[in-house]
Amino acid sequence: MKNLIFLFQSLVILCFLMFPLSSSFSAESTYPFGLLMVGPANDHGWSQAHFEAGQEMEKVLPGTKMIYIDKVNPADRPGITVPMLVDDLVSKGAKLIIGNSDDMKDGMREAAMTHPDIKFIHISGDDVVTGKAGANLSNLMGRMEYGKMMAGFTAAMSSKTGKIGYLGPLINAETRRLTAAAYLGARYAWTKIRKKDAADLKFKVSWIGFWFNIPGVTSDPTLVTNSFINSGYDVIISGIDTTEALVVAGQKRKEGKNVWAIPYDYIGACAASPEACLGVPYFNWVPGYTQMIGSAMAGKWKQEFLWLNPDWKSINNQETSSIGFKAGDALGEKAQKGLADFQASLADGTLNLFTGPLNFQDGTVFLKDKVTATDDQIWNLPQLLEGMAGASK
Amino acid sequence: MSIILQLRRIVMITVLALGAVSLLLILLGISPLTIGITLTKGSIFSWLKFNHVLTIWIPLLLCSCGLLFTFRAGLWNIGVEGQVICGAIGATLVLRLDNTGLPPAALLSFALFTSFLAGGLWGALAGLLKTRGGVNEIFGGLGLNFVAQGVVLWLILGPWKRAGMASMSGTDLFPRELWMWIPPGWRVAPAAIVLVVIVFLLTGMILNATRFGLKIKAAGFNPQAARLFGIRPDLVGFTAMSIGGGLAGLAGGVQVSCVYHRLIPSISSSYGYLALLVVMLAGYKVTPVPIICLLFACLAAGSIQLPITLQIDSSLSGVIQGALVLSGLLVYGLQQRKSRGH
C-alpha cells in the first residue's frame, strides 16, 4: 500500500510540475463576442451553421474573437442556465452575446436585463416585435420559408409514392410556418409541375418534441424516420437540428429501398449520406452576424428584428445570402431543372405560395382567393394547413 | 476513529483520485495543472462564480441530507431522482395556481412545503413497496423514477404546455413575483441558503443526537438486534424513506422556484444520483457531506470552463467525480480488509 501511495504521490507531483500543455483563452481581441449553441458545434446542422459563421466573423470583422459554448440545454448541462453562462462570457470580456436557440428565449431576456451594457442577439426569437426585449436585445432570423418551399418542391418532384414525411422538432409558430412552407412547395410541384391530383399527395408531420433527440425525453428521430419509411413514405424532410433522417434514408437505400431525405440547417449536411440526399435548405448566418456585430463594434447598435431574405441573385452566395439551397447528389435531372425554374419564379416574385385560397388544417379560412399573407400572418401561423396531417399545437 | 486516521484516509483518497485522473489526462495530452487551475478559477475565483457553485450546492446538499436518513436506515434510496421530480411537480402545481389571493412570499413558502410533501409521498411509496410489497427499494425506486419522469413529460406536453406550443423545453415561466428574491449582484436566493443550512443542521441533530436517530442507526446496522429493543425496522425504514423523499422533493422545489422558474423535463439535473456519490464518499457520515457537496458543485460549475477556455468536453468533471468516489470506496475497502486482518 505504501508503495502504491508513493507511486501516485510521485505521479501527482510530476503532473503539477509539467508546464501546461494546453493554451488557455485570453481576451486580448478588441471585440470578443460569445456564442451559446443549443447543440454540439459539430452537429452537421443548426449549431454547426452558427459555429462556422462565428469563426468566419473573426476573418470578416478583424478584431473580433469568438468565445463559444455548445450543448447549452438542461439535458446536456444539468443545472447550468443561460444567465449563468452569460455571466461567465461577460467575465471573459464578451461584449456581445448570441443565443442560437428558441429554447434560450427566457434566459436571454433575463440575461439582457442583468447586463444592460452588453449587446444580445437572440436567434429565431421575436421579443423585439412583441415588445418584451430591452434595448440591448435584438432578434435575427433568416426567411427559411423559401428554403423549405424548395425542400418540399424537391421532395414532391422525386417521390414515387406521393407520400412525404416531415420529421418535425417541437411545435411552435416557427416550426408550423416552416412545415407549412414545405407543404406548399410540395403541393406546387405535385399539382402544377407533375399535374397530379392534390388529394393524392400525402404530407404527414411527426413531431419529436425538441430540436434534437434527448433519449428518454423526446421521441427518437431514428425510430420516427424508420416508421415513416416502413409506412411507404419515400421522401423524409427533416425539420430537426441533426441528420438522423438522412442517415436512416441512407441505410434504407443500402437495403434496397428507393427512399431519400432532405436534411436541414447546414450547407454540409448531405455529407452524412450523399447518395440519399436530394438537397439541403440551409442557413448562412454570415450576412446577419456581420450586420449586427459590425454595427455594435462601430458603436452604431440599434435594436432590430432582422428576418433576412435569400440573395435572389445568387442564393448560394456565402457572403450575401442568408438562406441557400444546395442540391444533393440524389436529385434527378428533371427535378433539378424544375427546381431552377421554381427558384426563378420565387426570386422575381411571380410566385408567392402563401397566396389564397388557403385553409387551415381545421377547415377555417386562412387566406381568401388571391390574398397574400402578411409577414405577421406567416411568422405567427397558428395552425398547419389543410392537406397536412399531424398535430398543429 | 482518530483524527489522524481520518486525515490519512482523506489524503489517500485525494492522492489516489488525483493520481488516476492525472494519469488519464497525461495520456490524453492535457496538463492536469491547466485543468486544475481552470476548474478552480471557474468556480471560486469570483463572487458570481461562487454564486453559481451555491446554486448547485443547495439542491445537492438537500438530496444528500435526505440520503443520509435512508443510508443510515440501511436502505438504498435510488428513487431519489424521482422524488426530486415529484417535489418539482408539487411546487409547480402551487406556483401555477391563479387568484389564490396569497402574497407571493406565502405562495412560495407553500410551494416549498408542497414540494417536501410530494417528494415525501413518493419516498413513502417506495418505502411501502419495500415494507408491505416486499419490493427491494432499489428496484422500487428505479421504477418510480421512470414513472415520475413519465409524469413530468406528460405534464409538460399535456396539461401544462405553453399556449400554442408542444415542446419539451418546459412550462411557461412563473410570474416574476413568484421567483425567489435574489439581491442585486447575487445569483442565488439567500432564503435558499438559509433553508439548506437549517435542513443540514436538523439532519445532523436528528441523526446524531436524538432517540429517533439512534433507532434509524440500529435498524440499519442490525434489524434483528433492533427488534429485541422494541424497534420496528420496517416502520423506521418507512419513516426514513419518507423524510429522505421529502428532502429530495424540497430540492426539486428549490430548482423550480430559484433556478429555472418553470418546470423542465430534466428538472432534477441528476442531483439525486450525484448525491448518492456524495454520501458514499462521505462514508455515510453527516459532517463531510456539505464539504463534499461543495467540492462536487465546484467541479460541476467549474467544468463549464473546460469547453470555453480549453475546448475540452465538460464531461471530464464527471470522470473526476467518478475517480474520487471509486478511490474513496477503494480506500474504505482496503482499510476494512486490513482491519479484518487479511
Side-chain angles (χ1 to χ4, degrees):
Chain A
M1 189 68 199
K2 274 182 184 169
N3 290 341
L4 193 70
I5 293 170
F6 177 74
L7 184 73
F8 275 109
Q9 275 173 337
S10 315
L11 197 63
V12 172
I13 292 163
L14 180 76
C15 296
F16 279 75
L17 285 176
M18 270 177 61
F19 188 78
L21 294 173
S22 313
S23 62
S24 58
F25 170 77
S26 64
E28 284 166 4
S29 63
T30 53
Y31 203 86
F33 68 94
L35 174 62
L36 301 174
M37 289 170 282
V38 67
N42 59 353
D43 64 357
H44 294 282
W46 174 261
S47 288
Q48 190 162 351
H50 283 277
F51 179 65
E52 292 186 3
Q55 285 181 318
E56 190 64 19
M57 280 307 100
E58 296 178 358
K59 297 177 201 154
V60 175
L61 296 172
T64 56
K65 168 79 186 169
M66 176 171 67
I67 319 167
Y68 70 91
I69 177 150
D70 63 355
K71 297 193 277 183
V72 179
N73 65 78
D76 279 317
R77 301 203 184 280
I80 304 291
T81 62
V82 169
M84 275 186 195
L85 295 172
V86 168
D87 281 344
D88 209 69
L89 293 177
V90 171
S91 76
K92 290 188 164 46
K95 294 175 180 168
L96 178 147
I97 289 165
I98 302 165
N100 90 336
S101 176
D102 150 76
D103 192 43
M104 298 172 189
K105 188 182 233 178
D106 303 320
M108 288 294 279
R109 202 185 298 154
E110 192 184 334
M113 282 195 315
T114 317
H115 297 280
D117 299 333
I118 305 296
K119 310 293 182 245
F120 289 84
I121 303 172
H122 180 224
I123 305 294
S124 81
D126 58 2
D127 277 356
V128 173
V129 179
T130 57
K132 291 176 185 165
N136 57 336
L137 175 64
S138 283
N139 293 128
L140 174 64
M141 188 57 177
R143 288 186 190 256
M144 180 47 83
E145 295 67 50
Y146 293 115
K148 286 292 185 184
M149 285 172 189
M150 294 170 206
F153 181 93
T154 310
M157 288 297 285
S158 309
S159 175
K160 305 285 185 226
T161 62
K163 292 175 91 174
I164 298 169
Y166 192 99
L167 181 65
L170 47 88
I171 311 177
N172 66 11
E174 176 191 338
T175 60
R176 276 193 293 267
R177 71 172 178 269
L178 294 180
T179 316
Y183 168 69
L184 290 175
R187 197 182 66 165
Y188 180 81
W190 191 253
T191 57
K192 304 290 182 195
I193 310 295
R194 296 184 69 181
K195 310 288 184 196
K196 292 184 181 248
D197 188 354
D200 292 336
L201 176 68
K202 306 290 176 217
F203 190 101
K204 185 181 175 185
V205 191
S206 241
W207 308 100
I208 66 162
F210 199 63
W211 297 103
F212 46 81
N213 183 32
I214 304 175
V217 174
T218 62
S219 303
D220 185 337
T222 300
L223 293 180
V224 174
T225 308
N226 266 304
S227 162
F228 267 134
I229 291 172
N230 293 338
S231 313
Y233 290 81
D234 62 350
V235 184
I236 315 300
I237 303 175
S238 174
I240 66 172
D241 289 359
T242 45
T243 56
E244 284 89 343
L246 181 61
V247 171
V248 173
Q251 288 165 351
K252 292 288 177 186
R253 282 190 81 81
K254 282 180 187 142
E255 291 169 16
K257 286 205 167 168
N258 208 18
V259 294
W260 301 273
I262 300 175
Y264 178 40
D265 290 324
Y266 175 59
I267 189 170
C270 280
S273 191
E275 71 284 359
C277 189
L278 292 175
V280 56
Y282 65 89
F283 288 97
N284 170 26
W285 298 101
V286 171
Y289 278 11
T290 310
Q291 186 174 333
M292 284 192 160
I293 300 175
S295 61
M297 274 180 91
K300 293 175 184 167
W301 168 272
K302 67 174 195 304
Q303 187 185 56
E304 283 181 292
F305 170 79
L306 283 185
W307 193 13
L308 296 175
N309 271 308
D311 176 358
W312 286 116
K313 288 187 202 118
S314 170
I315 64 166
N316 289 314
N317 184 325
Q318 295 305 294
E319 288 174 12
T320 56
S321 188
S322 292
I323 299 296
F325 187 90
K326 191 177 181 204
D329 292 355
L331 190 63
E333 257 181 52
K334 195 178 165 192
Q336 277 195 33
K337 166 79 177 59
L339 179 63
D341 295 342
F342 180 67
Q343 287 170 337
S345 306
L346 291 174
D348 63 21
T350 52
L351 182 63
N352 180 345
L353 293 180
F354 275 108
T355 303
L358 280 179
N359 284 348
F360 287 124
Q361 196 180 39
D362 65 1
T364 55
V365 175
F366 170 36
L367 296 168
K368 287 182 183 160
D369 194 18
K370 291 182 183 149
V371 174
T372 55
T374 61
D375 274 358
D376 179 54
Q377 281 176 306
I378 297 174
W379 183 270
N380 292 307
L381 194 73
Q383 278 188 48
L384 297 180
L385 302 179
E386 200 170 59
M388 302 171 74
S392 258
K393 37 182 106 163
Chain B
M1 190 191 290
S2 72
I3 294 171
I4 295 170
L5 261 176
Q6 280 204 28
L7 274 175
R8 197 179 144 194
R9 176 182 281 184
I10 291 167
V11 170
M12 279 164 70
I13 293 169
T14 314
V15 167
L16 261 176
L18 281 178
V21 174
S22 300
L23 188 65
L24 181 75
L25 290 175
I26 289 170
L27 289 175
L28 292 171
I30 305 163
S31 159
L33 181 61
T34 310
I35 297 290
I37 291 170
T38 307
L39 286 174
T40 314
K41 269 188 177 173
S43 51
I44 51 173
F45 269 37
S46 84
W47 169 243
L48 277 187
K49 281 173 182 154
F50 188 61
N51 269 244
H52 297 161
V53 169
L54 289 179
T55 309
I56 298 169
W57 181 71
I58 292 167
L60 187 59
L61 183 51
L62 283 170
C63 290
S64 304
C65 286
L67 285 171
L68 279 170
F69 281 93
T70 49
F71 271 124
R72 279 279 173 97
L75 297 167
W76 279 77
N77 182 18
I78 302 292
V80 60
E81 278 284 303
Q83 292 146 19
V84 177
I85 293 171
C86 283
I89 292 173
T92 307
L93 184 74
V94 172
L95 294 173
R96 285 175 61 89
L97 289 176
D98 284 330
N99 306 319
T100 53
L102 287 170
L107 203 60
L108 273 167
S109 308
F110 185 48
L112 286 178
F113 175 70
T114 311
S115 68
F116 178 81
L117 216 60
L121 281 173
W122 210 245
L125 196 55
L128 265 183
L129 284 171
K130 161 94 177 171
T131 53
R132 293 280 174 262
V135 180
N136 186 296
E137 74 277 9
I138 294 178
F139 301 119
L142 263 181
L144 287 171
N145 283 352
F146 283 112
V147 175
Q149 186 66 39
V151 170
V152 83
L153 294 179
W154 170 70
L155 285 169
I156 288 171
L157 267 191
W160 290 352
K161 74 176 179 180
R162 294 182 183 210
M165 283 180 69
S167 166
M168 282 302 176
S169 56
T171 60
D172 267 322
L173 276 186
F174 304 130
R176 196 94 191 168
E177 63 269 20
L178 292 181
W179 296 19
M180 211 173 266
W181 180 71
I182 295 174
W186 287 49
R187 296 292 185 270
V188 63
I193 302 176
V194 173
L195 175 78
V196 76
V197 169
I198 292 173
V199 165
F200 173 70
L201 292 175
L202 278 174
T203 302
M205 201 184 80
I206 292 171
L207 288 177
N208 293 335
T210 64
R211 183 178 287 268
F212 176 63
L214 199 63
K215 279 184 181 177
I216 293 181
K217 202 172 177 179
F221 191 67
N222 191 336
Q224 279 76 28
R227 277 194 196 92
L228 297 177
F229 288 94
I231 297 167
R232 286 182 56 190
D234 54 342
L235 192 63
V236 170
F238 174 77
T239 315
M241 286 295 276
S242 306
I243 296 173
L247 295 181
L250 205 52
V254 168
Q255 285 284 89
V256 292
S257 60
C258 302
V259 183
Y260 288 104
H261 313 298
R262 61 187 164 131
L263 184 65
I264 60 169
S266 44
I267 193 70
S268 73
S269 300
S270 300
Y271 291 148
Y273 292 132
L274 199 56
L276 284 165
L277 299 186
V278 168
V279 181
M280 275 194 271
L281 191 57
Y284 316 113
K285 292 185 179 63
V286 178
T287 325
V289 163
I291 300 156
I292 297 172
C293 282
L294 196 64
L295 175 69
F296 278 27
C298 284
L299 276 172
S303 69
I304 210 70
Q305 301 304 316
L306 298 176
I308 297 179
T309 58
L310 303 173
Q311 281 79 53
I312 295 169
D313 200 279
S314 55
S315 48
L316 185 66
S317 71
V319 176
I320 299 173
Q321 280 163 356
L324 265 172
V325 175
L326 282 176
S327 309
L329 295 178
L330 183 66
V331 170
Y332 289 131
L334 287 173
Q335 284 188 340
Q336 280 190 355
R337 207 180 143 117
K338 199 174 162 187
S339 65
R340 283 199 301 265
H342 288 292

